[in-house]
Amino acid sequence: MRTQTSPNLVGASRAEIAALVGEIDPRPYRAAQVYQWLARRLAGSIEEMTNLPKTLRESLGSRAVVRDPEIVAVRRGEEGTVKFALAYPDGAVIEAVAMPMEGHTTLCLSSQAGCAVGCIFCVTGILGAGRNLSGGEIFGQYRAIMRHEGLIGASVNVVFMGMGEPLLNLPGVTRSVELLSETVSPRRITVSTSGIVPGIVKLAALERRPKLAVSLNATTQEQRERLMPIAARWPLDELLAALRSFPLERGRRITFEYVMLSGINDSLDDARRLPRLLRGIPCKVNLIPLNPDERYLADLAAPDEETISAFAGVLAAAHMNVTVRWSKGRDVAAACGQLRGQVIGERAAP
Ligand code: SAH
Ligand code: SF4
């Protein structure tokens, strides 16, 4: 009898699928077919696996389920950004975002149902810690959104920039990258971290290594600690040392994200310090004007455009590759730092 506690095929590795399917039909190609349906074709149920004999489907269905998080709310923004609230069977709710770009869609996934890092400019952090999501639960966000938006087969980039600190959940993130790699090249997957040094070292050793983005947000240790308490644990010099030894293939760069906060980290002195700090690291800098939140970030503001341009100008003059991320999805609270895992939109259409 299939129950809520039946094992979920979503998130199972090739070997785990082989063991389970092998009990029913020992021919290896059967297990390979099941894995393909789950990881490549993103099937939403065992019934959809139409090239399997009915008896195999029935037998598999009596032992396991295919379960993705349920989309419980959808908000569509003016620029095509879509924010999803997704619920897991234990009641955990997270948010994920789809952003149409030129030629592809970027999906922003959550790695945890909250965040313990506590950056003072981030609503997720202010609302506090949440549990780790398993590899299958993270991959389930991708599967559910790809199906819901009719994106199967489309060109997609994945960024781990939703709720949570991916490098405090390495087992979940690593498994999900492995599963995603069936349909998205690791070159199109980016993991963003607040600077968890041991996590960066472990990521560096992975065979299927995603791209790395680091939320720098400050140019001195003191300032960084004030904005990101985690910086006291893994100081700036240790972080930069780990990044200097991060393996990069030819032409690849590390992205540094820098949330711009008016009167706090937006001075020209900061701009001049930045290229000195990052010297020797192939990188690009992504300036992100603070996305506001009236309730939780009331005492912080984004700098005005002139200040941002002057800051970017100093970096460009120092030959740095710099972009300003005018965030998509602010109108539906889907931009960086605005995700919270509470259902605030309208209910999803059934
Ligand atoms: N925890 C990881 C990934 C999720 S946060 C990390 O910190 O890197 C993704 C990005 O959103 C980070 O670069 C973070 O600095 C940025 N961010 C957080 N709050 C923000 C806000 N209110 N406005 C703009 N960017 C924000
Ligand atoms: Fe966590 Fe990233 Fe938000 Fe910091 S910015 S609190 S690390 S999600």
Side-chain angles (χ1 to χ4, degrees), residues 299-335:
D299 49 347
L300 298 174
D304 55 32
E305 280 192 38
E306 224 170 282
T307 307
I308 297 169
S309 297
F311 195 100
V314 171
L315 301 188
H319 308 293
M320 297 203 80
N321 186 322
V322 56
T323 49
V324 181
R325 190 196 293 168
W326 296 106
S327 293
K328 284 174 173 271
R330 278 187 181 195
D331 54 336
V332 288

Side-chain angles (χ1 to χ4, degrees), residues 12-96:
S13 65
R14 276 178 194 281
E16 286 160 354
I17 300 267
L20 195 82
V21 176
E23 287 173 16
I24 311 167
D25 186 333
R27 289 170 294 182
Y29 77 92
R30 287 293 183 214
Q33 280 176 315
V34 172
Y35 188 79
Q36 290 254 328
W37 274 110
L38 294 161
R40 292 195 76 90
R41 302 173 76 164
L42 312 184
S45 68
I46 293 172
E47 292 75 49
E48 279 173 45
M49 304 181 182
T50 45
N51 61 356
L52 302 180
K54 196 153 182 267
T55 48
L56 173 55
R57 274 184 275 157
E58 280 169 1
S59 187
L60 194 55
S62 68
R63 296 160 194 243
V65 293
V66 172
R67 189 175 48 227
D68 289 319
E70 187 193 348
I71 296 179
V72 290
V74 181
R75 291 182 77 186
R76 291 184 190 272
E78 281 161 16
E79 301 159 300
T81 297
V82 195
K83 180 168 79 164
F84 301 89
L86 297 119
Y88 294 97
D90 71 343
V93 177
I94 61 90
E95 292 185 330

Side-chain angles (χ1 to χ4, degrees), residues 4 40 97 101 105 145 177 187 207 217 274 339 343:
Q4 276 290 312
R40 292 195 76 90
V97 184
M101 318 292 259
T105 297
I145 294 173
V177 168
R187 274 177 288 126
E207 202 179 309
N217 301 332
L274 204 48
L339 303 184
V343 180

